[in-house]
């Protein structure tokens, strides 16, 4: 039980940077959608390029985060050699990437459809290279169990990013209308969406300087034999990561090539609506930050399969609760984005369901990481990615971004089911499937009337009934798994 409390505590702290940070970042969604109309495609450009950078980030880190945790906790390995070796390896690859982008900037910009804005490409290349390098000091903070600094740096980035976006997308444009000559020295209205990329680079570079202590005070040792062993462990994770991130970004990368005219406008609608569903990504990410070092640290000791099974159950319960809350109050949450983006709201439940399955797949993935058979993860994610890409290629030209949403759902479902079935053979864990399936079924039963009410009932009626349905799900959780008497402080008031 103490292990679960420790996991819950770390998840809460890491969740502060993830959930609160993402929540604050929602300020940018209404800002971008208000200042960049759907028809202009500006937000579609942002969605498209950030999809590229997410994929490149996986390539530049090439599984070294997970390999770092595995080898830093592995008997016979010296963490003080593991960390600098990983740091130099990732830093060298990131530097090489930036150099190649500058050499190939013109043909690369033309191929990506940004020949008129090559600066978008090199700015994002620098940003993602710095992000990749920062992943290792951030992982080191997690290894040292220093969630406070981790969360502080993440939130510092978010706050700077938001303030600068408000400055360049809200304040300066208003001032430019009144004093174009004076404000024009620091603001150019033709840059448009480009300011989002320039601001990101500035904030990312600033955070890099905050890792002074994590980048100094130790001997930089590059252990080639160690790196070779780590690469042998991490290359399947790289394949897994590529397939996994493609499950999240392939639709946004491929969409302009598959849809044709007006692609960026449609992509803008899809990208903005999907932001509402990202609460699942927040929860999954917060859980991952705490769960990965927790699992590998426990791997040194006794068998902890019962703990892993409980963690899975609680993860499913609370993500389903979050799913119902978002669906139940979608008629209010839709005001996060501008009115001309509302046509994309129908993808929100689909994208959230896909994110839940991605989280379950992540939890399942530890069986092959713990037995050093990461090649299985590459197969599962690769097959899921193949399903996703196939559906996109076949159906996006006809059904647009709805095909993207269902492709993600099918891709994650494929990877999740395969990982569970094979995992029960090689590293069996007795997950409480009956209890998990009960909550899934209950959530589905409550979801259906919520959807109907959102579409056909008045705002007051839908919010009232949906609130009752959410409370019903919450009451079931309390009765079956979290009795009020077990709660700290106030729990004694419910004990007999």
């Amino acid at each position: 039980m103490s292990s679960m409390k420790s996991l819950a505590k770390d998840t809460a702290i890491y969740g502060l940077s993830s959930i609160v940070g993402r929540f604050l970042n929602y300020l940018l969604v209404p800002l971008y959608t208000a200042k960049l109309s759907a028809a202009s495609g500006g937000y579609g450009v942002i969605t498209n390029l950030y999809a590229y950078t997410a994929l490149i980030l996986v390539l530049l880190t090439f599984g070294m985060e997970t390999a770092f945790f595995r080898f830093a906790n592995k008997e016979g390995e010296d963490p003080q050699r593991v960390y600098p070796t990983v740091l130099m390896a990732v830093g060298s690859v990131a530097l090489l990437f930036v150099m190649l982008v500058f050499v190939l900037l013109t043909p690369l910009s033309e191929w990506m459809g940004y020949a008129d804005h090559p600066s978008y490409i090199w700015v994002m290349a620098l940003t993602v290279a710095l992000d990749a390098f920062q992943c290792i000091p951030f992982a080191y903070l997690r290894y040292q169990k220093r969630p406070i600094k981790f969360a502080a740096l993440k939130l510092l980035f978010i706050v700077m990013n938001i303030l600068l976006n408000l400055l360049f997308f809200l304040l300066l444009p208003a001032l430019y209308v009144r004093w174009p000559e004076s404000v024009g020295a620091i603001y150019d209205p033709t840059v448009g969406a480009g300011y989002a990329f320039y601001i990101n680079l500035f904030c990312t570079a600033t955070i890099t300087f905050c890792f002074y202590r994590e980048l100094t005070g130790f001997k930089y040792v590059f252990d080639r034999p160690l790196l070779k062993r780590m690469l042998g462990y991490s290359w399947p994770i790289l394949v897994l990561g590529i397939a996994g991130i493609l499950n999240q970004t392939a639709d946004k990368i491929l969409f302009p090539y598959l849809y044709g005219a007006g692609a960026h406008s449609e992509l803008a609608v899809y990208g903005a609506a999907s932001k509402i569903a990202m609460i699942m990504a927040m929860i999954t990410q917060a859980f991952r930050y705490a769960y990965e070092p927790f699992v590998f640290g426990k791997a040194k000791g006794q068998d902890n399969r019962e703990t892993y099974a409980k963690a899975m159950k609680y993860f499913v319960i609370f993500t389903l609760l979050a799913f119902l809350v978002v669906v139940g109050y979608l008629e209010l949450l839709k005001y996060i984005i501008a009115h001309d983006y509302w046509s994309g709201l129908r993808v929100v439940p689909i994208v959230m369901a896909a994110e839940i399955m991605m989280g379950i797949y992540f939890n399942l993935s530890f069986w092959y990481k713990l037995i050093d058979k990461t090649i299985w993860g590459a197969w599962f994610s690769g097959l899921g990615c193949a399903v996703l890409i196939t559906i996109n290629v076949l159906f996006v030209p006809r059904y647009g971004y709805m095909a993207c949403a269902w492709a993600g759902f099918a891709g994650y479902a494929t990877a999740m089911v395969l990982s569970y079935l094979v995992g029960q053979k090689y590293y069996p864990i007795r997950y409480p499937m009956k209890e998990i399936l009960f909550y899934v079924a209950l959530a589905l039963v409550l979801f259906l009337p919520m959807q109907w009410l959102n579409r056909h009932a008045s705002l007051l009626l839908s919010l009232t009934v949906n609130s009752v349905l959410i409370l019903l799900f919450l009451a079931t959780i309390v009765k079956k798994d979290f009795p009020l008497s077990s709660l700290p402080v106030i729990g004694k008031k419910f004990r007999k």
Side-chain angles (χ1 to χ4, degrees), residues 380-434:
F380 302 147
S381 293
L383 290 170
C385 183
V387 170
L388 179 144
I389 292 175
T390 300
I391 293 176
N392 271 280
V393 171
L394 292 178
F395 297 108
V396 162
R398 181 174 180 180
Y399 297 104
Y401 56 74
M402 285 303 296
C404 296
W406 282 112
F409 181 96
Y412 285 131
T414 299
M416 177 187 70
V417 171
L418 288 174
S419 185
Y420 173 77
L421 294 176
V422 178
Q424 291 305 298
K425 178 180 179 181
Y426 288 95
Y427 193 86
I429 297 176
R430 297 183 64 182
Y431 294 109
M433 292 305 299
K434 288 185 179 179

Side-chain angles (χ1 to χ4, degrees), residues 31-44 46 169 192-193 268 338 340-341:
L31 178 65
Y32 288 152
T33 57
K35 297 300 179 179
L36 303 170
S37 67
S40 73
Y43 193 70
I46 293 174
F169 282 94
D340 54 338
Y341 290 83

Side-chain angles (χ1 to χ4, degrees), residues 159-464:
V159 171
M160 286 194 302
N161 191 39
I162 290 174
L163 291 177
L164 288 173
N165 271 280
L166 289 173
L167 175 64
F168 280 90
F169 282 94
L170 189 63
L171 180 59
L172 290 180
L175 295 176
Y176 182 83
V177 173
R178 299 189 63 180
W179 302 290
E181 293 184 1
S182 301
V183 180
I186 57 174
Y187 173 76
D188 182 356
T190 64
V191 173
Y195 278 120
F197 308 131
Y198 303 141
I199 291 168
N200 197 341
L201 175 58
F202 174 82
C203 295
T204 302
T206 301
I207 295 299
T208 304
F209 290 103
C210 297
F211 284 114
Y212 175 78
R213 290 189 177 182
E214 286 70 35
L215 298 175
T216 59
F218 60 89
K219 185 177 181 181
Y220 275 82
V221 179
F222 188 74
D223 191 327
R224 290 180 181 274
L226 171 62
L227 180 61
K228 185 176 180 180
R229 294 195 300 274
M230 295 180 75
L231 290 174
Y233 175 83
S234 69
W235 77 261
I237 296 177
L238 170 60
V239 178
L240 183 157
I242 293 171
I245 201 66
L246 281 174
N247 278 325
Q248 300 178 52
T249 62
D251 52 354
K252 301 171 185 69
I253 292 173
L254 294 173
F255 195 85
Y257 301 104
L258 297 173
Y259 191 77
H264 281 107
S265 298
E266 289 293 295
L267 186 57
V269 172
Y270 175 55
S274 296
K275 283 292 184 181
I276 298 176
M278 284 301 103
I279 188 171
M280 291 303 164
M282 301 179 204
I283 295 172
T284 301
Q285 186 180 52
F287 191 84
R288 173 180 176 267
Y289 283 149
Y291 198 48
E292 195 164 46
F294 169 81
V295 169
F296 285 126
K298 285 291 181 182
K300 289 182 175 180
Q302 71 276 19
D303 194 313
N304 290 278
R305 302 187 198 201
E306 182 179 350
T307 300
Y308 304 153
K310 289 181 179 179
M312 171 70 84
K313 174 184 171 183
Y314 297 142
F315 174 81
V316 172
I317 289 174
F318 287 108
T319 51
L320 288 174
L321 175 60
F323 174 86
L324 292 176
V325 169
V326 173
V327 173
Y329 298 108
L330 188 58
E331 290 301 298
L332 291 178
L333 293 173
K334 69 182 183 181
Y335 289 99
I336 292 174
I337 58 180
H339 185 274
D340 54 338
Y341 290 83
W342 286 2
S343 60
L345 291 174
R346 49 190 177 153
V347 306
V348 172
I350 305 169
V351 174
M352 281 198 301
E355 289 288 342
I356 292 175
M357 289 189 289
M358 185 189 74
I360 294 172
Y361 173 56
F362 173 80
N363 290 335
L364 291 170
S365 71
F366 279 98
W367 72 260
Y368 53 75
K369 292 178 182 178
L370 289 171
I371 64 174
D372 293 346
K373 297 292 185 181
T374 48
I375 187 64
W376 280 110
W379 280 110
F380 302 147
S381 293
L383 290 170
C385 183
V387 170
L388 179 144
I389 292 175
T390 300
I391 293 176
N392 271 280
V393 171
L394 292 178
F395 297 108
V396 162
R398 181 174 180 180
Y399 297 104
Y401 56 74
M402 285 303 296
C404 296
W406 282 112
F409 181 96
Y412 285 131
T414 299
M416 177 187 70
V417 171
L418 288 174
S419 185
Y420 173 77
L421 294 176
V422 178
Q424 291 305 298
K425 178 180 179 181
Y426 288 95
Y427 193 86
I429 297 176
R430 297 183 64 182
Y431 294 109
M433 292 305 299
K434 288 185 179 179
E435 297 172 55
I436 290 174
L437 291 175
F438 167 79
Y439 280 109
V440 172
L442 178 59
L444 180 60
V445 169
L446 298 178
F447 162 74
L448 294 175
M450 284 183 175
Q451 275 287 85
W452 187 91
L453 288 165
N454 287 344
R455 294 176 179 177
H456 303 288
S458 66
L459 177 62
L460 179 61
L461 179 60
S462 65
L463 292 178
T464 302

Side-chain angles (χ1 to χ4, degrees), residues 7-81:
L7 175 62
K9 178 184 175 182
D10 284 353
T11 301
I13 298 175
Y14 289 122
L16 177 66
S17 63
S18 179
I19 297 176
V20 175
R22 291 285 187 97
F23 175 76
L24 291 175
N25 240 342
Y26 272 150
L27 291 175
L28 300 181
V29 180
L31 178 65
Y32 288 152
T33 57
K35 297 300 179 179
L36 303 170
S37 67
S40 73
Y43 193 70
V45 172
I46 293 174
T47 301
N48 180 243
L49 285 181
Y50 277 131
Y52 275 108
T53 57
L55 173 60
I56 294 169
L57 182 62
V58 172
L59 293 171
L60 295 184
T61 52
F62 52 98
M64 283 290 108
E65 276 186 282
T66 302
F68 167 73
F69 285 117
R70 179 57 173 163
F71 280 77
N73 288 287
K74 196 172 186 178
E75 292 184 10
E77 302 289 356
D78 182 3
Q80 297 307 312
R81 297 180 73 86

